Coordinates of all heavy atoms in Angstrom, one line a residue:
I1 N 125.9 -9.4 -49.8 CA 124.7 -8.9 -50.4 C 123.6 -8.6 -49.3 O 122.8 -7.7 -49.5 CB 124.1 -9.9 -51.5 CG1 125.2 -10.1 -52.5 CG2 122.8 -9.4 -52.0 CD1 124.8 -11.1 -53.6
G2 N 123.7 -9.3 -48.2 CA 122.7 -9.1 -47.2 C 121.3 -9.7 -47.6 O 121.2 -10.5 -48.5
K3 N 120.3 -9.2 -46.9 CA 118.9 -9.7 -47.2 C 118.5 -9.2 -48.6 O 118.5 -8.0 -48.8 CB 117.9 -9.3 -46.1 CG 118.3 -10.0 -44.8 CD 117.3 -9.5 -43.7 CE 117.7 -10.2 -42.4 NZ 116.8 -9.8 -41.3
C4 N 118.1 -10.2 -49.5 CA 117.8 -9.7 -50.8 C 116.6 -10.4 -51.5 O 116.3 -10.1 -52.6 CB 119.1 -9.9 -51.7 SG 119.7 -11.6 -51.7
C5 N 116.0 -11.3 -50.8 CA 114.8 -12.0 -51.4 C 114.0 -12.6 -50.3 O 114.4 -12.8 -49.2 CB 115.2 -13.0 -52.5 SG 116.3 -14.3 -51.8
H6 N 112.7 -12.8 -50.7 CA 111.8 -13.4 -49.7 C 110.7 -14.1 -50.4 O 110.4 -14.0 -51.6 CB 111.2 -12.3 -48.8 CG 110.3 -11.3 -49.6 ND1 110.9 -10.3 -50.3 CD2 109.0 -11.2 -49.7 CE1 109.9 -9.6 -50.9 NE2 108.7 -10.2 -50.5
G7 N 109.9 -14.9 -49.6 CA 108.8 -15.7 -50.2 C 108.2 -16.6 -49.2 O 108.8 -16.8 -48.1
D8 N 107.2 -17.3 -49.6 CA 106.5 -18.2 -48.7 C 107.0 -19.6 -48.7 O 106.7 -20.4 -47.8 CB 105.0 -18.3 -49.1 CG 104.2 -17.0 -48.9 OD1 104.6 -16.3 -48.0 OD2 103.3 -16.7 -49.7
N9 N 107.9 -20.0 -49.7 CA 108.4 -21.3 -49.9 C 109.9 -21.3 -49.7 O 110.6 -20.5 -50.4 CB 108.0 -21.9 -51.2 CG 108.5 -23.3 -51.4 OD1 109.7 -23.5 -51.7 ND2 107.6 -24.2 -51.4
E10 N 110.5 -22.0 -48.7 CA 111.9 -22.0 -48.4 C 112.8 -22.4 -49.6 O 113.8 -21.7 -49.9 CB 112.1 -23.0 -47.2 CG 113.5 -23.0 -46.7 CD 113.6 -23.9 -45.5 OE1 112.6 -24.6 -45.1 OE2 114.7 -23.9 -44.8
E11 N 112.4 -23.4 -50.3 CA 113.1 -23.8 -51.5 C 113.2 -22.8 -52.6 O 114.2 -22.6 -53.2 CB 112.6 -25.2 -52.0 CG 112.9 -26.3 -51.1 CD 111.8 -26.5 -50.0 OE1 110.8 -25.8 -50.1 OE2 112.1 -27.3 -49.1
D12 N 112.0 -22.1 -52.8 CA 112.0 -21.1 -53.8 C 112.9 -19.9 -53.5 O 113.5 -19.3 -54.3 CB 110.5 -20.6 -54.0 CG 109.6 -21.6 -54.8 OD1 110.2 -22.6 -55.4 OD2 108.4 -21.5 -54.7
V13 N 112.9 -19.6 -52.2 CA 113.7 -18.5 -51.8 C 115.2 -18.8 -51.9 O 116.0 -18.0 -52.4 CB 113.4 -18.1 -50.3 CG1 114.4 -17.1 -49.8 CG2 112.0 -17.5 -50.2
Y14 N 115.5 -20.1 -51.7 CA 116.9 -20.5 -51.9 C 117.3 -20.4 -53.3 O 118.4 -20.0 -53.7 CB 117.1 -21.9 -51.3 CG 118.6 -22.4 -51.5 CD1 119.5 -22.0 -50.5 CD2 119.0 -23.2 -52.5 CE1 120.8 -22.4 -50.6 CE2 120.3 -23.6 -52.6 CZ 121.2 -23.2 -51.7 OH 122.5 -23.6 -51.8
R15 N 116.4 -20.9 -54.2 CA 116.7 -20.8 -55.7 C 116.9 -19.3 -56.1 O 117.8 -19.0 -56.9 CB 115.6 -21.4 -56.5 CG 115.7 -22.9 -56.5 CD 114.7 -23.6 -57.5 NE 113.4 -23.6 -57.1 CZ 112.9 -24.5 -56.3 NH1 113.6 -25.5 -55.8 NH2 111.6 -24.4 -55.9
Q16 N 116.0 -18.4 -55.6 CA 116.1 -17.0 -55.9 C 117.5 -16.5 -55.4 O 118.2 -15.7 -56.1 CB 115.0 -16.2 -55.2 CG 113.6 -16.4 -55.7 CD 112.7 -15.6 -54.8 OE1 113.0 -14.5 -54.4 NE2 111.5 -16.2 -54.5
L17 N 117.9 -16.9 -54.2 CA 119.1 -16.5 -53.6 C 120.3 -16.9 -54.5 O 121.2 -16.1 -54.7 CB 119.2 -17.0 -52.2 CG 120.3 -16.5 -51.3 CD1 120.2 -15.0 -51.1 CD2 120.2 -17.2 -49.9
C18 N 120.3 -18.1 -54.9 CA 121.4 -18.6 -55.8 C 121.4 -17.8 -57.1 O 122.5 -17.5 -57.6 CB 121.2 -20.1 -56.1 SG 121.5 -21.1 -54.6
Q19 N 120.3 -17.5 -57.7 CA 120.2 -16.8 -58.9 C 120.8 -15.4 -58.7 O 121.5 -14.9 -59.5 CB 118.8 -16.7 -59.4 CG 118.7 -16.0 -60.8 CD 117.3 -15.9 -61.3 OE1 116.4 -16.6 -60.8 NE2 117.0 -15.1 -62.3
I20 N 120.4 -14.7 -57.6 CA 120.9 -13.4 -57.3 C 122.4 -13.4 -57.2 O 123.1 -12.6 -57.7 CB 120.2 -12.8 -56.1 CG1 118.7 -12.5 -56.4 CG2 120.9 -11.6 -55.5 CD1 117.9 -12.3 -55.1
L21 N 122.9 -14.4 -56.4 CA 124.3 -14.5 -56.2 C 125.1 -14.7 -57.6 O 126.1 -14.1 -57.8 CB 124.6 -15.7 -55.3 CG 126.1 -15.9 -54.9 CD1 126.8 -14.6 -54.4 CD2 126.2 -17.0 -53.8
D22 N 124.6 -15.6 -58.4 CA 125.2 -15.8 -59.7 C 125.2 -14.5 -60.5 O 126.2 -14.2 -61.2 CB 124.4 -16.9 -60.5 CG 124.6 -18.3 -60.0 OD1 125.6 -18.5 -59.3 OD2 123.7 -19.2 -60.3
E23 N 124.1 -13.7 -60.5 CA 124.1 -12.5 -61.2 C 125.1 -11.5 -60.6 O 125.8 -10.8 -61.4 CB 122.7 -11.9 -61.1 CG 121.7 -12.7 -62.0 CD 120.2 -12.3 -61.7 OE1 119.9 -11.4 -60.9 OE2 119.4 -12.9 -62.4
W24 N 125.2 -11.4 -59.3 CA 126.2 -10.5 -58.7 C 127.6 -10.9 -59.1 O 128.5 -10.1 -59.4 CB 126.1 -10.5 -57.2 CG 125.0 -9.5 -56.8 CD1 123.7 -9.6 -56.9 CD2 125.2 -8.3 -56.1 NE1 123.0 -8.5 -56.4 CE2 123.9 -7.7 -55.8 CE3 126.3 -7.6 -55.6 CZ2 123.8 -6.5 -55.2 CZ3 126.2 -6.4 -54.9 CH2 124.9 -5.8 -54.7
I25 N 127.9 -12.2 -59.1 CA 129.2 -12.7 -59.5 C 129.5 -12.3 -60.9 O 130.6 -11.8 -61.3 CB 129.4 -14.2 -59.3 CG1 129.4 -14.5 -57.8 CG2 130.6 -14.8 -60.0 CD1 129.3 -16.0 -57.4
E26 N 128.5 -12.5 -61.8 CA 128.7 -12.1 -63.2 C 129.0 -10.7 -63.4 O 129.8 -10.3 -64.2 CB 127.4 -12.6 -64.0 CG 127.5 -12.3 -65.4 CD 126.2 -12.7 -66.2 OE1 125.6 -13.7 -65.7 OE2 125.8 -12.1 -67.1
I27 N 128.2 -9.8 -62.7 CA 128.4 -8.3 -62.8 C 129.8 -8.0 -62.3 O 130.5 -7.2 -62.9 CB 127.3 -7.6 -61.9 CG1 126.0 -7.7 -62.6 CG2 127.7 -6.1 -61.7 CD1 124.8 -7.3 -61.8
Y28 N 130.2 -8.5 -61.1 CA 131.6 -8.2 -60.6 C 132.6 -8.6 -61.6 O 133.6 -7.8 -61.9 CB 131.8 -8.9 -59.3 CG 131.4 -8.1 -58.1 CD1 130.1 -7.6 -57.9 CD2 132.3 -7.9 -57.0 CE1 129.8 -6.9 -56.8 CE2 132.0 -7.2 -55.9 CZ 130.7 -6.7 -55.8 OH 130.3 -5.9 -54.7
E29 N 132.5 -9.8 -62.2 CA 133.5 -10.3 -63.1 C 133.5 -9.4 -64.4 O 134.6 -9.1 -64.9 CB 133.3 -11.7 -63.4 CG 133.7 -12.6 -62.3 CD 133.5 -14.1 -62.5 OE1 132.7 -14.5 -63.4 OE2 134.1 -14.9 -61.8
K30 N 132.3 -9.1 -64.9 CA 132.3 -8.2 -66.1 C 132.9 -6.9 -65.9 O 133.6 -6.3 -66.7 CB 130.8 -8.1 -66.5 CG 130.6 -7.2 -67.7 CD 129.1 -7.1 -68.0 CE 128.9 -6.1 -69.2 NZ 127.9 -5.1 -68.9
D31 N 132.7 -6.3 -64.7 CA 133.2 -5.0 -64.3 C 134.6 -5.1 -63.8 O 135.2 -4.1 -63.3 CB 132.3 -4.3 -63.3 CG 131.0 -3.9 -64.0 OD1 130.9 -3.9 -65.2 OD2 130.0 -3.6 -63.2
E32 N 135.2 -6.3 -63.8 CA 136.5 -6.5 -63.2 C 136.7 -6.0 -61.8 O 137.7 -5.5 -61.4 CB 137.6 -5.9 -64.2 CG 137.5 -6.5 -65.6 CD 138.6 -5.9 -66.5 OE1 139.4 -5.1 -66.1 OE2 138.6 -6.4 -67.7
I33 N 135.7 -6.3 -61.0 CA 135.7 -6.0 -59.6 C 136.1 -7.3 -58.8 O 135.5 -8.4 -59.1 CB 134.4 -5.5 -59.1 CG1 134.0 -4.2 -59.8 CG2 134.4 -5.2 -57.6 CD1 132.6 -3.7 -59.6
L34 N 137.0 -7.2 -57.9 CA 137.4 -8.4 -57.1 C 136.2 -8.9 -56.3 O 135.6 -8.1 -55.6 CB 138.6 -8.0 -56.2 CG 139.3 -9.1 -55.5 CD1 139.9 -10.1 -56.5 CD2 140.4 -8.5 -54.6
L35 N 136.0 -10.2 -56.3 CA 134.9 -10.7 -55.6 C 135.3 -10.7 -54.1 O 136.4 -10.8 -53.7 CB 134.7 -12.2 -56.0 CG 134.1 -12.4 -57.4 CD1 134.1 -13.9 -57.7 CD2 132.7 -11.9 -57.4
P36 N 134.3 -10.5 -53.2 CA 134.5 -10.6 -51.8 C 135.1 -11.9 -51.3 O 134.9 -12.9 -52.0 CB 133.1 -10.3 -51.2 CG 132.3 -9.7 -52.2 CD 132.9 -10.3 -53.5
A37 N 135.8 -11.9 -50.2 CA 136.3 -13.2 -49.7 C 135.2 -14.1 -49.4 O 134.1 -13.8 -49.1 CB 137.0 -12.9 -48.4
S38 N 135.4 -15.4 -49.7 CA 134.4 -16.4 -49.6 C 134.6 -17.1 -48.2 O 135.6 -17.0 -47.6 CB 134.5 -17.4 -50.7 OG 135.7 -18.2 -50.6
I39 N 133.5 -17.9 -47.9 CA 133.6 -18.6 -46.6 C 134.6 -19.8 -46.7 O 135.0 -20.3 -45.7 CB 132.2 -19.1 -46.2 CG1 131.6 -20.0 -47.2 CG2 131.3 -17.9 -45.9 CD1 130.5 -20.9 -46.7
S40 N 134.9 -20.2 -47.9 CA 135.8 -21.3 -48.1 C 137.2 -21.0 -47.6 O 138.0 -21.9 -47.3 CB 135.8 -21.8 -49.5 OG 136.4 -20.8 -50.3
D41 N 137.5 -19.7 -47.4 CA 138.8 -19.3 -47.0 C 138.9 -19.3 -45.4 O 139.9 -19.1 -44.9 CB 139.2 -17.9 -47.5 CG 139.3 -17.9 -49.0 OD1 139.5 -19.0 -49.6 OD2 139.0 -16.9 -49.6
K42 N 137.7 -19.4 -44.8 CA 137.7 -19.2 -43.3 C 137.8 -20.5 -42.6 O 137.4 -21.6 -43.1 CB 136.4 -18.5 -42.9 CG 136.2 -17.1 -43.5 CD 135.0 -16.5 -43.1 CE 134.9 -15.1 -43.7 NZ 133.7 -14.4 -43.5
K43 N 138.4 -20.5 -41.5 CA 138.5 -21.7 -40.6 C 137.6 -21.5 -39.4 O 137.5 -20.5 -38.8 CB 140.0 -21.8 -40.1 CG 141.0 -21.8 -41.2 CD 141.1 -23.1 -41.8 CE 142.2 -23.2 -42.8 NZ 141.9 -23.5 -44.1
Y44 N 136.8 -22.5 -39.2 CA 135.8 -22.5 -38.1 C 136.2 -23.5 -37.1 O 136.6 -24.6 -37.4 CB 134.4 -22.7 -38.6 CG 133.9 -21.7 -39.6 CD1 134.0 -21.8 -40.9 CD2 133.4 -20.5 -39.1 CE1 133.6 -20.8 -41.8 CE2 132.9 -19.5 -39.9 CZ 133.0 -19.7 -41.3 OH 132.6 -18.7 -42.1
W45 N 136.1 -23.1 -35.8 CA 136.4 -24.1 -34.8 C 135.6 -23.7 -33.6 O 135.3 -22.6 -33.3 CB 137.9 -23.9 -34.3 CG 138.2 -24.9 -33.2 CD1 138.6 -26.2 -33.4 CD2 138.2 -24.7 -31.8 NE1 138.8 -26.8 -32.2 CE2 138.5 -25.9 -31.2 CE3 137.8 -23.6 -31.1 CZ2 138.6 -26.0 -29.8 CZ3 137.9 -23.7 -29.7 CH2 138.2 -24.9 -29.1
H46 N 135.1 -24.8 -33.0 CA 134.3 -24.6 -31.8 C 134.6 -25.9 -30.9 O 134.7 -27.0 -31.5 CB 132.8 -24.5 -32.1 CG 132.0 -24.2 -30.9 ND1 131.5 -25.1 -30.0 CD2 131.6 -23.0 -30.4 CE1 130.8 -24.6 -29.1 NE2 130.8 -23.3 -29.3
P47 N 134.7 -25.8 -29.6 CA 135.0 -26.9 -28.8 C 134.0 -28.1 -28.9 O 134.4 -29.2 -28.7 CB 135.0 -26.4 -27.3 CG 135.0 -24.9 -27.4 CD 134.5 -24.5 -28.8
S48 N 132.8 -27.8 -29.3 CA 131.8 -28.9 -29.4 C 131.9 -29.6 -30.8 O 131.2 -30.6 -31.0 CB 130.4 -28.4 -29.2 OG 130.0 -27.5 -30.3

């Protein structure tokens, strides 16, 4: 989705972000569009 919301309060922006994401997921599922790959499928590694 990229940058999609803004505000003066960090927690409020996070709540907005979660709501936007929920709405996009709902739209994709309603329209039977495959959801993008999630981060849970990715493996992260760093020497530190």
Side-chain angles (χ1 to χ4, degrees):
I1 301 173
K3 294 180 179 177
C4 57
C5 57
H6 66 279
D8 295 329
N9 182 285
E10 187 175 6
E11 290 84 12
D12 288 343
V13 172
Y14 183 80
R15 280 190 287 277
Q16 290 175 40
L17 191 57
C18 289
Q19 181 179 351
I20 290 167
L21 182 52
D22 286 341
E23 291 170 359
W24 276 70
I25 289 170
E26 183 179 325
I27 290 167
Y28 269 56
E29 289 179 339
K30 180 181 174 225
D31 292 343
E32 298 180 1
I33 300 170
L34 189 62
L35 291 171
S38 68
I39 61 162
S40 65
D41 298 333
K42 297 181 180 176
K43 305 284 186 237
Y44 295 96
W45 180 86
H46 189 275
S48 66

